[in-house]
Amino acid sequence: MNIKSIKLSLIKMPLKQPFTTHLGTVAEREAIIVEVEGHDGVSGYGEGVAFSSPWYTEETMQTSWHVLKDFIIPLIKENEIAHAVEAYTLFSSIRRNHMAKAAIETALWDLQAKREGKPLSKLLGGTIDSIPSGVVVGNPNLPAAITQIESYLEKGYNRVKVKISPENDIPYIAGIRKKFPNLPLMADANSAYTLEDAARLKALDEYGLLMIEQPLDYDDIVDHAKLQSQISTPICLDESIVTFNDARKAVELGSCKVINIKIGRVGGLGEAKRIHDFCAGKGIPVWVGGMIEFGISRAHNLALASLPGFTIPGDISGSDRYWEEDIIEPEIKVHGGSITLPERPGIGFELNRKRLKKVTIFEEKIIF
Ligand code: OSB
Ligand code: MG
């Protein structure tokens, strides 16, 4: 793809307010911003979305940096690819490390789209240009969560997700439902339960949740199938789906009725689109998951969410959901519950160089 250099910047920013799941609290976020520059002067941007510690997946910022610098970037240097769609296969000699792979793969898609003079959403096959926006509340305190939901509804968000665990589920969901009887509401358990909790999860059926996300083990699809046969709330899988074949097997087994697709978790936009296409053919609705990310990853999420199978609003909120100031310009804004896709080529957002410099801890440029 005629690449001149790849620059990696490790950034760090505090969240406006801490985000809590039963697995812990995120108060500060690191990310790796990737800039792939071509000999033609065009640059593509990507974002490494692993967390600082391995609580959500096994990757961390440090492992991502290592795998990018010592394995993925050398592969790109030594093997010419003609199109971004070839990157996933090129990277297949490296096991897993999906977030590290996606950080570069998404930058290659941005570069590809810019060279073709097309918005990334159009290059991927997107069919809409206004993306419905959902928001996630990571606050286990019921009155505080209600206040937070009220403020998001005022801002126009029209789908809310909350985090649950056996320590905080039925009274919490009942309290939210009582206050917001018609709110499109869903609950994410991040693997807080086992099959022995089936009766407890069945009790949630009466609250009209859109779905319950990843109730059981992060790598399970067998017990989820057993649970789905016992409850009427649709199960959505997040952590368990890290490849196309995971999605295929989960659908075949009946482990879920919905899938959350995160570009980083599945190793890039190519694999994300393959999962989308498969699910569309099977009538399985998909939505775009979030990683408490900065604007570059949010922009890639928006492009992906324009594909026709994304029929449920994703965890794609505006830049101001988590950040005092994002690293892109313009920032991503929610109007009337939706985000308008930019018309410019590629992801359609520029890096805010001043802000990026302010939050960069370390950077390294690899010249080809
Ligand atoms: O399980 O979807 C998840 C955040 C970090 C890690 C995992 C998850 C989440 C979220 C928040 O639910 C999504 C967001 O607003 O970015
Ligand atoms: Mg989740």
Side-chain angles (χ1 to χ4, degrees):
M1 285 181 72
N2 199 13
I3 295 164
K4 188 170 131 196
S5 68
I6 298 183
K7 186 172 161 190
L8 306 178
S9 305
L10 179 65
I11 66 167
K12 188 170 172 174
M13 215 190 278
L15 273 64
K16 275 183 171 175
Q17 58 200 127
F19 184 91
T20 298
T21 73
H22 77 105
L23 297 168
T25 294
V26 179
E28 253 183 352
R29 185 71 166 106
E30 291 180 300
I32 300 170
I33 302 303
V34 178
E35 296 174 59
V36 178
E37 193 187 357
H39 285 288
D40 53 1
V42 181
S43 286
Y45 306 128
E47 180 175 323
V49 298
F51 288 100
S52 306
S53 71
W55 67 273
Y56 171 72
T57 67
E58 60 274 35
E59 290 179 87
T60 69
M61 271 298 125
Q62 291 298 315
T63 68
S64 285
W65 191 282
H66 163 55
V67 171
L68 278 164
K69 190 173 165 225
D70 297 329
F71 301 104
I72 299 176
I73 294 175
L75 262 185
I76 300 174
K77 229 170 153 174
E78 286 152 25
N79 299 273
E80 177 58 25
I81 56 168
H83 190 289
V85 78
E86 295 168 22
Y88 184 84
T89 307
L90 174 63
F91 300 164
S92 66
S93 60
I94 300 166
R95 292 281 184 263
R96 301 237 184 189
N97 290 287
H98 288 171
M99 292 177 186
K101 290 175 181 173
I104 293 246
E105 196 253 16
T106 50
L108 295 174
W109 276 101
D110 183 28
L111 182 64
Q112 181 80 40
K114 283 170 176 161
R115 283 185 174 155
E116 293 185 26
K118 290 180 192 162
L120 177 57
S121 57
K122 293 290 176 302
L123 180 62
L124 293 170
T127 50
I128 55 170
D129 45 28
S130 176
I131 308 298
S133 174
V135 68
V136 188
V137 171
N139 193 330
N141 178 280
L142 178 59
I146 287 177
T147 306
Q148 223 180 321
I149 293 170
E150 274 170 340
S151 78
Y152 293 138
L153 296 182
E154 273 165 29
K155 289 192 169 158
Y157 291 104
N158 46 32
R159 191 235 68 191
V160 173
K161 176 171 121 182
V162 295
K163 297 288 190 176
I164 56 164
S165 68
E167 290 72 46
N168 195 41
D169 51 13
I170 295 167
Y172 184 71
I173 293 295
I176 294 170
R177 192 38 106 206
K178 191 165 172 226
K179 181 80 188 170
F180 309 102
N182 302 314
L183 174 68
L185 176 69
M186 51 208 248
D188 186 356
N190 290 105
S191 305
Y193 298 88
T194 71
L195 252 193
E196 288 172 14
D197 299 309
R200 196 177 183 98
L201 293 164
K202 178 143 189 60
L204 287 172
D205 277 348
E206 69 178 272
Y207 299 103
L209 298 175
L210 287 176
M211 68 195 76
I212 178 167
E213 186 178 339
Q214 197 73 36
L216 309 181
D217 273 345
Y218 68 90
D219 57 356
D220 169 77
I221 53 172
V222 175
D223 284 354
H224 278 102
K226 292 182 186 161
L227 178 64
Q228 184 66 88
S229 71
Q230 295 173 50
I231 65 174
S232 56
T233 306
I235 292 177
C236 170
L237 289 177
D238 172 353
E239 285 91 329
S240 293
I241 308 298
V242 299
T243 63
F244 172 85
N245 276 315
D246 288 340
R248 179 182 60 75
K249 291 171 193 172
V251 171
E252 268 175 28
L253 277 177
S255 318
C256 62
K257 291 180 179 164
V258 184
I259 291 179
N260 152 344
I261 302 180
K262 293 186 185 176
I263 301 168
R265 198 190 66 227
V266 303
L269 275 165
E271 193 76 345
K273 183 172 154 54
R274 278 182 76 212
I275 295 172
H276 159 276
D277 294 352
F278 170 77
C279 289
K282 293 283 179 188
I284 299 284
V286 293
W287 52 277
V288 175
M291 285 292 287
I292 314 181
E293 56 252 291
F294 297 100
I296 297 295
S297 174
R298 252 162 234 279
H300 283 285
N301 286 346
L302 284 174
L304 179 66
S306 70
L307 299 182
F310 287 96
T311 52
I312 297 168
D315 290 346
I316 316 180
S317 43
S319 292
D320 70 352
R321 160 68 182 90
Y322 293 111
W323 317 121
E324 287 298 342
E325 188 184 1
D326 204 343
I327 54 150
I328 53 162
E329 51 192 8
E331 293 205 342
I332 290 169
K333 291 200 174 64
V334 176
H335 291 292
S338 294
I339 299 166
T340 305
L341 278 180
E343 285 166 10
R344 293 176 293 277
I347 57 172
F349 295 87
E350 255 316 308
L351 281 169
N352 175 341
R353 296 277 169 194
K354 206 172 141 208
R355 180 63 173 157
L356 183 65
K357 200 171 167 197
K358 205 167 162 197
V359 296
T360 297
I361 296 169
F362 183 73
E363 58 182 37
E364 194 165 341
K365 190 169 179 173
I366 296 104
I367 314 271
F368 277 37

